[in-house]
Amino acid sequence: MQRSIAVARPKLPDADALLPYLRAIDQRRIYSNWGPLNAELERLLGDRLGASVVTCSSATDGITCALRAVLEDRPAEKRFGLCLMPSWTFVATPHAALAAGLTPCFLDVEEGSWMLTPELVRRELLAGLKSNLPVAAVVVVAPFGLQLAPEPWDAFTAETGIPVVIDSAAAFDGLSVARTPSVVSLHATKTVGAGEGGFVATRDADLAKRIKRVANLGFLGTRLAEVPATNAKLSEYHAAVALCSLKGWPERRAEFQSVAHRLRAAVEPSGAVFQPGFGEDWVSATCVLRLPDGLGAGDAAMGLGLRGISTRAWWGFGCHTSPAFAHLPRRNHAAQNRLPATEVLAHSTIGIPFYCDLSDAEIAQIGTAFAEIAAATPAPATETYASPAGAFPVLVSAA
Ligand SMILES: Cc1ncc(COP(=O)(O)O)c(C=O)c1O
């Protein structure tokens, strides 16, 4: 009988694994304010990354704190304005920029890598952004866990003076850190989970201190609020879960990798294309792939759904189509107000089931479904799809 397959089934440490940590909390009576469990978590992550690490209540809050802290380097009049970012991201990214007092300005991504590149952002700056607001900062996003080299962004900041924050929410595995702060999520749906939580990593120890100050109501060693700030601390309970997850990470990573290999072998013959290195160089807790030529995301979701397979458009039609952000500026250097690569990605990619214990039977069911749907797909054609921002004709093709 065909089973119903969920798109995600997070697995955090069980009660037995957590008990020693909880007993330690009971004994110490330290529940938050970067207590000993947070200190241990920051040290372990810092050693692993060769960087300074600040734990925080979520990646969303981490991005806000990192933005506020990097803006402290700028003259007062340049601390406000546009925050350039891709529309092809989770809604947390623009929410975080708004919370930092900035105005998100959505750019189109590079279609091949699904992300912003320094060249692309430089081109946009040269072309002029047609806004009265200056560019205050950039947030770049590592899509669905794909690794992103941070050094070119250090160079971008050195050259332009514009600070950058890297939203690496899903990119715990193989994260590479430079001066530009990278923010990772410890949400339950990520590879190393705390339930809710996150951390910011940077090779600049002074910047890390300032990020901590912003996450700690502006306090740094005294009870004076030195800068505008928020409370984004991670509780000791969440740190306990994160420490347990981190301890089990080598085994969990091997499980994700094994599932990824088997899933690729089952699905790739249909013509679907996985992100480069997925399951080989890096793993993530979600799997988003590019559909076979000619197969649109809506048809694929319906075909898979009819075969008991849940899917998710994790980033919808791009943030610029969310009602909360539709009024915000957006820019593509070639076509003002259109984000063609984002539109193509929204229509040609799909999140499919992926979790650490996806079974062989479930993988076979997914592989068969892809084969059947791809076989029934006509040659690539131009289609129109509706989104909250309007109707766009798009070529339903990976070419
Ligand atoms: C790209 C991106 N940024 C930010 C976040 C927010 O992470 P958190 O839930 O830890 O706030 C997510 C969550 O999935 C994400 O995918």
Side-chain angles (χ1 to χ4, degrees), residues 8 11 14 67 101 164-165 176 185 193 221 261 265 269 273 318 332 348-349 351 357 369 378 391:
K11 194 166 182 221
D14 61 22
L67 279 170
V164 177
V165 169
S176 159
S185 174
H261 280 157
V273 181
N332 170 269
S348 64
T349 64
D357 47 3

Side-chain angles (χ1 to χ4, degrees), residues 58-60 89-90 92-93 141 167 169 185 187 190 197 315:
S58 68
T60 310
T89 182
F90 187 48
T93 319
V141 179
D167 177 346
S185 174
H187 188 266
K190 300 297 180 289
W315 292 350

Side-chain angles (χ1 to χ4, degrees), residues 84-296:
L84 307 185
M85 64 177 63
S87 173
W88 189 233
T89 182
F90 187 48
V91 293
T93 319
H95 278 308
L98 286 168
L102 300 174
T103 301
C105 174
F106 297 116
L107 303 186
D108 209 8
V109 288
E110 191 183 66
E111 197 187 314
S113 65
W114 306 4
M115 58 172 113
L116 297 183
T117 63
E119 297 68 41
L120 192 154
V121 178
R122 278 192 195 102
R123 220 164 41 222
E124 295 290 352
L125 291 173
L126 283 176
L129 285 156
K130 294 211 174 99
S131 166
N132 297 333
L133 295 169
V135 175
V138 179
V139 178
V140 293
V141 179
F144 307 109
L146 183 69
Q147 298 308 313
L148 181 160
E151 293 80 7
W153 291 105
D154 282 4
F156 174 90
T157 299
E159 177 198 319
T160 61
I162 301 172
V164 177
V165 169
I166 303 176
D167 177 346
S168 293
F172 174 83
D173 191 33
L175 182 73
S176 159
V177 180
R179 182 186 181 279
T180 302
S182 285
V183 186
V184 176
S185 174
L186 297 172
H187 188 266
T189 52
K190 300 297 180 289
T191 47
V192 172
E196 290 281 358
F199 66 87
V200 188
T202 168
R203 285 189 189 268
D204 181 337
D206 181 60
L207 176 59
K209 264 193 208 153
R210 289 190 284 119
I211 292 170
K212 200 160 220 176
R213 179 169 64 176
V214 177
N216 190 27
L217 302 157
F219 295 164
L220 190 69
T222 70
R223 291 191 65 77
L224 277 182
E226 296 175 2
V227 289
T230 186
N231 174 8
K233 301 188 295 288
L234 187 73
S235 83
E236 288 286 277
Y237 291 104
H238 290 94
V241 183
L243 281 168
C244 269
S245 295
L246 196 58
K247 206 165 154 193
W249 172 237
E251 294 77 31
R252 180 56 52 82
R253 184 180 193 279
E255 290 169 2
F256 275 124
Q257 203 164 23
S258 163
V259 171
H261 280 157
R262 286 177 283 135
L263 191 62
R264 284 186 79 142
V267 172
E268 275 175 337
S270 70
V273 181
F274 287 74
Q275 286 183 281
F278 176 77
E280 288 156 8
D281 308 327
W282 57 277
V283 294
S284 173
T286 49
C287 176
V288 178
L289 48 72
R290 188 110 186 203
L291 289 161
D293 269 4
L295 178 58

